Amino acid sequence: MSSAEEIEDRLKALIGALDLPAKVRLLTGADAWGLPAEPRIGLRRLVMTDGPAGARGTHFDERDPSAHTPSPTALAATWDIGLVHRIGLLLAEETRAKGAQVLLAPTINLHRSPLGGRHFECFSEDPLLVGEIGLAYVRGVQAGGVAACAKHFVANDSENQRFTLSVDLAERALRELYLAPFETVVRAGGVKVVMAAYNAVRGTTMTENHPLQAGVLKGEWGFVGPIVSDWTAARSTVASATGGLDLVMPGPTGPWGDKLVRAVRDGEVPEAQLDDKVLRLLRLAAGTGVLDGFPAPEAERPYPVGSTAQTELLREAAARGMVLLRNENDLLPLAEGTRIALIGPNAAHTATGGGGSADLSPRRVVSFAQGLGLDPVEGVRPGGRQPLIDLADCANPHTGAPGFLVEYGTRDGDFLGSEQRETARLAWLGLPAERWRRDDLRVIMRAHYRPRVAGTHTFGVTALGPTSLTVNGQRIIEPVRAGWGSLVDSFDNITEQLGTVELSDVDTPVELVVEHLPIAAPHGYLRCGLTHRAPGRDAEAELAEAVRQAAAAEVAVVVVGTNADIESESHDRTTLELPPGQDELIRRVAAANPRTVVVVNAGAPVLMPWADQVAAVLYTWFPGQEAGHALADVLHGRAEPGGRLPTTFPRTAEQAPVLDTTPAEGVLRYTEGLLIGYRAYDQHRLDPAFCFGHGLGYTTWDYRTAHATPAVSAATLHAGEPVPLQVTLTNTGARPGREIVQVYLGRHASRYDRPPRVLAGFAVAEAGPGETVEVEIRLAAKAFAVYDEQRGDWAWEHGSYLAEIGRNSRDLPLTAVVTVH
């Protein structure tokens, strides 16, 4: 086997075989997802794919579906690095099946504000938990033979004005909070790719930010892979090329190309910097098996695509991430055969994931209603847009096959092709056929729709470009021509146009024709969907039916929440409240049946003003494709809800330490400094609705003893050595269970302003009834440190530190003292 030095020499020799234009050509995408091949040096196409909750591939296509994992908030809620490592292995298998070598995940930005649009796509408000879960994710993906990409470097913690905003924050907060998880996955995880964010930091766009990209990431941390731009984030030639960026995506157009060739020849960009970029790309290519002479990496492959092992893991992970917030009188778990009234908008329309980069075509979706085997009553309508039209009621007008006939042509009437699609949403991020990438493309979706009930039907279209809908020859939605911004934001920020039609004959199919003129087809982007709502009871009658069924049941299970329309890339949420009507639904059901369980299906915190009025509250997050089976397992006690909150839930919106995510005059100021999440609640002695780390199981635990190494040297901590701490605890309940043992570290006599306590380590304990176990927790060296802005370095103060140990950030029955000398 070649040594590292020999490999570097071989890669550098390949660079020497390329002229300047060839080098530059390699550094911009060939299309939406792939980098160009270079046969002269044996370099094949290298492909990247989203995303954090499943490997989508190079396009949305129900004919090539993906395994759909729980959202990253759900994964972080497990606090289980072993489980997340296994999810990483599963994602690597899926990535390979899509023909890709790089998975554009994990997202390791922080939950600075609960309103953040991609809150669901990030792990936690705490940098240590983000770092440890992110590290397990990266190691799992890369053990599976695929390169992981840590994103979005750095301070990309909100979506409003993300292309233009500049984050202003103190160096200490930047180092201790926002850079910390990236440092973990780079230094400890060897992550192979890092993605530069859209935003600026202190006035310099991240794709041009030399101090952070070249100085910190590549210099201080020794990152040897390429930095890739977020899609369309690179907006300059010389500034981005000299600022540390290595790859521009997507392509083939962009700010580099011929402009960069000229800049090198004019001496504005040193060719040595260009060679370093190509070398970083070749290291990635060699490490992922797309460069001749460098074999594909050995890979662990325990989760074959579509296998039972894969499905079982997704079911386990979904249940493990569910957080039992409240369980009065041990209502849960429910006995098998309990008469349940299943109520709520998310029962049938279960939100399995958020929007944007996390969006995909899942291999299957088991709704909560399907998993429980019950017919739900909505009570109120879901938030966001209408649901997509039910494909079971749609048929290809030529063949009768379920779904739509999709025809591609020009606006002058030329025919370019057609296909059968079993989806009501076309969503291309890279049109597969070159002949479709044209500015005069016209797309027509045709189906025969058989209405189930007579009355007023409401149809809707969501599309990137003017779109009309005709029902039996009657146009009920007219095309609207509207401007659009960036490709990415326009793709995720699409309004819904609605139209109504009276359908009286339930036995006769009606003809649906959607005509769509995509405005981004030359770039490979196309999005068009058809939504539908059948006539039903009016709002008050629907609510009354929910109350009636609740009163007649032994237990009422009310499923509420958000969905991918509300939680998505490209926009932040505007409220922490549940969608309209859901709070009132819960109150009325709880008044009718005191044995009410509220299941919250959301990727981020929501306000729960009714929490003290119901018997139980279970937070499922966005649980992925096995949502329904996992919920059934948890409600009936076949699995314990293993989750603990990775983020604090405020009692009111005003209580949240950081709420506003909208820049003022282009600047978003992180004036809170270190005080985000539980740190702020502790500092200001606020009582949240549910604290960081909280979660109940189906058994009880007695924390008995804690022992830490009493003294440790600052030199040992400076070297990064963790401090071991042992905790013994006993399962005092009647069921086997799992407990997340959490350790928080504080120092009150300090010359620095410190939060009262910070998470320093955690471990999973498992025990049977009456069993006592011991776990070892390794306290992170950086938990003892502060970043001294005057010195420009980390500092470890001598003296005593108090370790507090328990089940969440507010319930810490054990203590231990560690002295640094």
Side-chain angles (χ1 to χ4, degrees):
M1 183 177 293
S2 300
S3 68
E5 293 81 4
E6 290 172 330
I7 290 174
E8 286 286 286
D9 288 343
R10 291 169 61 193
L11 297 178
K12 290 175 182 176
L14 294 178
I15 298 173
L18 299 174
D19 59 17
L20 178 59
K23 294 176 189 177
V24 169
R25 188 175 67 88
L26 293 179
L27 303 178
T28 293
D31 48 42
W33 300 106
L35 290 167
E38 180 49 82
R40 283 181 291 176
I41 60 172
L43 176 64
R44 297 182 294 284
R45 172 178 160 86
L46 187 145
V47 179
M48 307 178 193
T49 177
D50 281 327
R56 181 172 64 225
T58 56
H59 50 269
F60 291 82
D61 197 323
E62 77 285 355
R63 296 164 296 186
D64 183 21
S66 306
H68 184 14
T69 74
S71 67
T73 42
L75 295 179
T78 70
W79 294 59
D80 189 331
I81 60 177
L83 177 69
V84 175
H85 181 94
R86 288 189 283 144
I87 289 290
L89 290 172
L90 181 152
L91 288 169
E93 191 77 57
E94 288 280 311
T95 302
R96 276 195 306 272
K98 300 296 183 183
Q101 295 78 39
V102 178
L103 180 68
L104 298 172
T107 302
I108 54 176
N109 302 111
L110 298 190
H111 295 165
R112 175 177 174 264
S113 168
L115 287 176
R118 298 177 88 165
H119 190 290
F120 72 92
E121 191 182 320
C122 307
F123 291 125
S124 172
E125 69 189 28
D126 182 81
L128 183 135
L129 183 57
V130 175
E132 291 302 310
I133 297 296
L135 179 62
Y137 190 112
V138 166
R139 285 176 169 169
V141 169
Q142 295 189 169
V146 166
C149 173
K151 62 183 189 181
H152 310 84
F153 189 75
V154 63
N156 184 185
D157 309 296
S158 57
E159 294 296 288
N160 288 341
Q161 301 177 31
R162 61 179 177 162
F163 285 93
T164 57
L165 76 84
S166 178
V167 172
D168 185 27
L169 77 171
E171 185 69 12
R172 185 178 170 197
L174 178 63
R175 294 280 183 160
E176 292 188 21
L177 296 181
Y178 302 99
L179 286 173
F182 286 96
E183 183 175 9
T184 297
V185 299
V186 169
R187 286 187 153 171
V191 69
K192 294 185 183 297
V193 185
V194 171
M195 182 185 291
Y198 290 121
N199 58 280
V201 172
R202 300 176 189 143
T204 304
T205 301
M206 277 310 306
T207 53
E208 302 171 4
N209 203 307
H210 188 274
L212 290 174
Q213 293 190 126
V216 175
L217 179 55
K218 294 179 177 178
E220 292 181 29
W221 301 347
F223 177 63
V224 298
I227 301 175
V228 62
S229 72
D230 203 341
W231 268 229
T232 74
R235 286 156 270 179
S236 66
T237 303
V238 174
S240 62
T242 58
L245 189 68
D246 300 304
L247 303 174
V248 169
M249 290 296 291
T253 60
W256 285 6
D258 292 341
K259 295 178 183 177
L260 184 53
V261 172
R262 287 195 298 270
V264 173
R265 287 174 175 163
D266 291 345
E268 296 178 283
V269 178
E271 189 163 358
Q273 287 191 10
L274 202 69
D275 289 349
D276 179 69
K277 299 177 193 302
V278 177
L279 178 59
R280 290 171 181 273
L281 168 61
L282 294 181
R283 287 182 187 131
L284 175 63
T288 53
V290 296
L291 185 61
D292 289 352
F294 296 87
E298 295 184 5
E300 299 178 40
R301 306 186 68 169
Y303 302 107
V305 170
S307 65
T308 300
Q310 192 184 74
T311 303
E312 289 175 348
L313 175 58
L314 294 173
R315 183 171 179 166
E316 176 189 359
R320 188 73 58 79
M322 293 181 182
V323 184
L324 184 58
L325 297 175
R326 178 177 170 86
N327 192 21
E328 291 300 291
N329 301 315
D330 294 330
L331 174 60
L332 297 179
L334 303 174
E336 299 287 350
T338 299
R339 288 186 295 106
I340 297 172
L342 183 62
I343 297 164
N346 287 47
H349 304 294
T350 302
T352 58
S357 296
D359 201 2
L360 46 71
S361 294
R363 188 154 291 126
R364 69 174 188 174
V365 169
V366 181
S367 72
F368 291 143
Q370 290 169 328
L372 291 168
L374 298 171
D375 292 325
V377 54
E378 281 190 354
V380 298
R381 292 184 176 182
R385 306 181 185 106
Q386 294 184 148
L388 291 171
I389 194 168
D390 192 338
L391 290 178
D393 300 327
C394 298
N396 184 314
H398 293 174
T399 66
F404 285 80
L405 170 66
V406 180
E407 300 171 342
Y408 300 89
T410 70
R411 297 173 195 185
D412 291 333
D414 294 335
F415 180 72
L416 300 176
S418 65
E419 58 183 353
Q420 161 72 22
R421 297 299 299 270
E422 294 182 15
T423 181
R425 181 186 67 159
L426 303 177
W428 298 103
L429 274 165
L431 284 163
E434 191 66 34
R435 66 184 183 278
W436 297 346
R437 299 187 185 191
R438 49 194 301 152
D439 57 15
D440 64 343
L441 183 68
R442 182 177 70 163
V443 180
I444 297 177
M445 300 172 63
R446 302 182 189 274
H448 283 164
Y449 168 69
R450 185 181 296 276
R452 294 177 182 266
V453 293
T456 303
H457 288 249
T458 303
F459 292 90
V461 294
T462 59
L464 188 56
T467 305
S468 64
L469 172 64
T470 301
V471 181
N472 271 353
Q474 175 189 354
R475 181 173 284 187
I476 66 169
I477 297 177
E478 296 289 342
V480 175
R481 181 171 295 278
W484 59 296
S486 74
L487 290 175
V488 177
D489 274 6
S490 296
F491 194 80
D492 294 312
N493 252 337
I494 296 178
T495 58
E496 182 181 33
Q497 296 173 249
L498 300 176
T500 60
V501 64
E502 291 292 323
L503 300 178
S504 57
D505 188 352
V506 297
D507 295 322
T508 303
V510 297
E511 182 184 43
L512 304 180
V513 179
V514 178
E515 183 174 348
H516 172 51
L517 305 179
I519 57 177
H523 305 278
Y525 287 62
L526 185 154
R527 183 162 182 171
C528 180
L530 180 63
T531 67
H532 173 252
R533 178 166 287 280
R537 289 181 286 260
D538 65 32
E540 194 56 40
E542 182 72 9
L543 193 55
E545 177 62 15
V547 171
R548 187 192 69 77
Q549 291 199 19
E554 292 181 79
V555 172
V557 175
V558 185
V559 188
V560 295
T562 63
N563 52 40
D565 293 337
I566 297 168
E567 298 189 54
S568 176
E569 181 176 353
S570 78
H571 59 85
D572 293 323
R573 289 193 291 165
T574 58
T575 179
L576 295 180
E577 295 179 357
L578 285 167
Q582 295 190 15
D583 288 336
E584 181 63 19
L585 171 66
I586 293 167
R587 290 190 181 99
R588 291 210 195 177
V589 169
N593 189 332
R595 290 165 57 85
T596 291
V597 178
V598 177
V599 175
V600 184
N601 174 207
V606 298
L607 299 181
M608 294 176 272
W610 35 259
D612 294 338
Q613 303 167 26
V614 300
V617 180
L618 180 68
Y619 222 86
T620 69
W621 312 103
F622 292 149
Q625 70 179 52
E626 300 304 311
H629 289 150
L631 179 64
D633 289 343
V634 167
L635 289 182
H636 290 295
R638 297 188 292 268
E640 186 179 36
R644 304 295 184 266
L645 289 182
T647 198
T648 307
F649 279 43
R651 195 170 292 278
T652 64
E654 294 73 22
Q655 189 188 53
V658 181
L659 198 64
D660 186 18
T661 61
T662 302
E665 297 181 347
V667 179
L668 188 59
R669 292 178 172 85
Y670 287 18
T671 55
E672 70 283 350
L674 298 173
L675 298 180
I676 67 171
Y678 70 89
R679 301 165 185 239
Y681 286 87
D682 290 348
Q683 178 73 27
H684 300 307
R685 298 181 180 177
L686 300 173
D687 182 28
F690 298 102
C691 68
F692 179 80
H694 171 69
L696 307 172
Y698 288 156
T699 188
T700 55
W701 297 86
D702 178 30
Y703 281 72
R704 307 190 59 161
T705 63
H707 298 286
T709 301
V712 62
S713 72
T716 298
L717 294 173
H718 189 273
E721 289 296 321
V723 177
L725 180 147
Q726 290 78 34
V727 179
T728 58
L729 62 166
T730 301
N731 180 347
T732 55
R735 297 171 62 102
R738 294 165 55 89
E739 177 76 332
I740 309 298
V741 183
Q742 303 165 37
V743 182
Y744 297 82
L745 195 69
R747 175 176 166 82
H748 303 297
S750 174
R751 69 177 183 271
Y752 301 96
D753 289 332
R754 293 176 180 259
R757 60 187 62 82
V758 298
L759 183 68
F762 58 92
V764 176
E766 295 186 88
E771 184 180 356
T772 296
V773 294
E774 179 180 276
V775 295
E776 180 175 275
I777 300 168
R778 296 164 68 81
L779 308 185
K782 283 285 181 67
F784 293 83
V786 299
Y787 189 83
D788 189 313
E789 293 180 334
Q790 291 185 332
R791 293 173 49 196
D793 201 359
W794 294 92
W796 283 267
E797 291 182 281
H798 291 188
S800 296
Y801 294 75
L802 180 66
E804 300 177 87
I805 304 101
R807 55 182 57 88
N808 60 54
S809 64
R810 292 292 177 90
D811 186 356
L812 301 165
L814 300 179
T815 60
V817 175
V818 178
T819 301
V820 176
H821 60 82

